């Protein structure tokens, strides 16, 4: 009989399963899809960065990147993140930069002239730029597959096509029913990403995590492999990064309603390109490849900080990363294992991310959401 049931085989669930099994616990992973990384993980743009505003988010990402850097399956590429900072965000970004520097993570302030050496752009309205040389991209599928393989090697069981239908606490155990069977364990860990609110309702809980659709548009092959960093214009939220001979482009739509809406929003392509061309004229004339473009989901939460920790007896949650679960999963897996196997997180302080912060009115405001 398992000691912990992990619901969800995306990158966060896989990392948790691996570290829990490594800690000596018997683990059962339940995934509703036919294979792993079929939700937000598989549709991620793969970026990893330390450039956040809240110390805990910075450290979650920093330690995760260090782990990915040593993992062959991650295919980590430190292409860097370049943030172009408008005048109205000068003070906020300077504060974030001071926090990053105080924590010892590698982020540097650049003049606009220095930033132009990395990416050509129009300077109107900008104050300065920041660059993180440790930032870059990984292969989310590769990482998830590695974690699940290691978890299985250590004795974990992974079952696909097993959506959680109901769960209840009874006799010191969580009793879970799926379309294929019934299972029990003292601990239940929800790593259900954008579906966490829905899963919570099946348990009679109000977990403030909801899905919001996001688009990733891809250009046609350029005939060469561009070497730009992942570049973000903070004035509009437009970003792009190289992927082989293509560029991937995106911009969050603030008017996108919550929900699991399907399909690429081609109507949002116009506003995305408008923002991009205004800052990066060199993009003009590039062809778009509709077949290579895709959509995914951010798992949003009101304060844009993850939900990490116990909800009630024997029930833990690791969700609500607001689009940044891939870059923080490695460290979250370690911390959730510490929580469940050892009675509390030891490596980092998780108190800012506790679920009870919503009841207690202790919300943080992460400003580094793209």
């Amino acid at each position: 009989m398992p000691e912990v049931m992990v619901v969800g085989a995306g990158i966060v669930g896989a990392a948790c399963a691996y570290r829990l099994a490594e800690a000596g616990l018997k683990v059962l992973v339940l995934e509703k899809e036919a294979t792993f990384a079929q939700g937000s993980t598989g549709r991620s743009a793969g970026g990893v960065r330390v450039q956040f505003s809240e110390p805990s988010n910075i450290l979650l990402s920093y330690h995760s990147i260090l782990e990915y850097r040593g993992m062959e399956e991650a295919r980590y590429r430190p292409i860097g993140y370049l943030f172009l900072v408008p005048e109205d965000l000068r003070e906020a970004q300077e504060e974030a930069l001071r926090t990053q520097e105080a924590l010892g993570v590698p982020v540097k302030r650049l003049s606009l002239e220095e930033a132009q050496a990395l990416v050509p752009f129009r300077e109107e309205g900008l104050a300065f730029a920041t660059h993180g040389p440790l930032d870059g991209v990984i292969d989310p599928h590769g990482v998830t597959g590695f974690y699940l393989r290691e978890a299985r090697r250590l004795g974990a069981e992974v079952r696909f096509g097993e959506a959680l239908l109901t769960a209840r606490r009874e006799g010191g155990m969580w009793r879970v029913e799926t379309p294929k069977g019934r299972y029990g364990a003292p601990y239940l860990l929800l790593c259900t990403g954008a579906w966490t609110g829905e899963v919570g309702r099946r348990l009679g809980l109000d977990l403030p995590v909801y899905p919001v659709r996001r688009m990733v548009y891809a250009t046609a092959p350029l005939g060469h492999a561009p070497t730009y960093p992942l570049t973000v214009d903070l004035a509009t939220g437009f970003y792009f990064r190289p992927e082989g001979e293509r560029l991937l482009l995106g911009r969050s739509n603030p008017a996108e309603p919550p929900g699991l809406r399907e399909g690429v929003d081609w109507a949002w392509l116009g506003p995305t390109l408008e923002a991009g061309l205004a800052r990066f004229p060199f993009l003009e004339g590039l062809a778009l490849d509709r077949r290579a473009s895709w959509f995914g989901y951010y798992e949003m939460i009101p304060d844009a900080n993850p939900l990490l920790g116990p909800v009630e007896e024997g029930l833990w949650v690791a969700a609500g990363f607001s689009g940044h679960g891939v870059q923080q999963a490695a460290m979250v897996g370690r911390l959730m294992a510490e929580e469940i196997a050892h009675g509390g997180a030891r490596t980092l302080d998780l108190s800012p991310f506790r679920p009870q912060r919503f009841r207690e009115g202790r919300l943080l405001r992460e400003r580094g959401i793209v």
Side-chain angles (χ1 to χ4, degrees), residues 53-90:
S53 64
E54 290 296 325
S56 297
N57 277 320
I58 295 168
L59 292 173
L60 279 179
S61 288
Y62 177 59
H63 290 289
S64 294
I65 293 171
L66 294 181
E67 183 168 320
Y68 298 144
R69 186 171 65 174
M71 184 190 303
E72 181 180 354
E73 293 82 356
R75 298 178 181 86
Y76 163 67
R77 291 184 288 132
I79 64 173
Y81 263 63
L82 180 70
F83 280 5
L84 303 181
V85 182
E87 287 287 353
D88 62 345
L89 292 179
R90 176 194 289 269

Side-chain angles (χ1 to χ4, degrees), residues 219-296:
T219 70
L222 307 178
H224 67 281
T227 58
Y228 303 125
L230 195 158
T231 303
V232 184
D233 179 11
L234 292 180
T236 62
F238 176 86
Y239 75 87
F240 69 89
R241 76 160 177 87
E243 179 61 35
E245 294 192 351
R246 304 176 188 269
L247 291 179
L248 303 182
L249 320 169
R251 181 188 178 203
S252 295
N253 182 356
E256 177 72 24
L260 296 168
R261 305 177 73 193
E262 294 279 331
V264 174
D265 182 1
W266 295 112
W268 184 240
L269 176 60
T272 299
L273 291 179
E274 182 181 0
L277 290 170
R279 182 67 68 194
F280 308 102
F282 75 91
L283 296 175
E284 189 169 1
L286 297 184
L288 194 79
D289 188 342
R290 287 177 172 251
R291 292 174 299 178
S293 303
W294 74 89
F295 75 97

Side-chain angles (χ1 to χ4, degrees), residues 24-44:
L25 296 177
K26 295 180 180 179
V27 178
L28 170 62
V29 179
L30 299 174
E31 167 57 48
K32 66 183 179 65
E33 301 293 344
T35 188
F36 62 88
Q38 294 300 292
S40 297
T41 298
R43 301 177 183 186
S44 167

Side-chain angles (χ1 to χ4, degrees), residues 7-18:
V7 184
I11 193 170
V12 173
C16 290
Y18 169 39

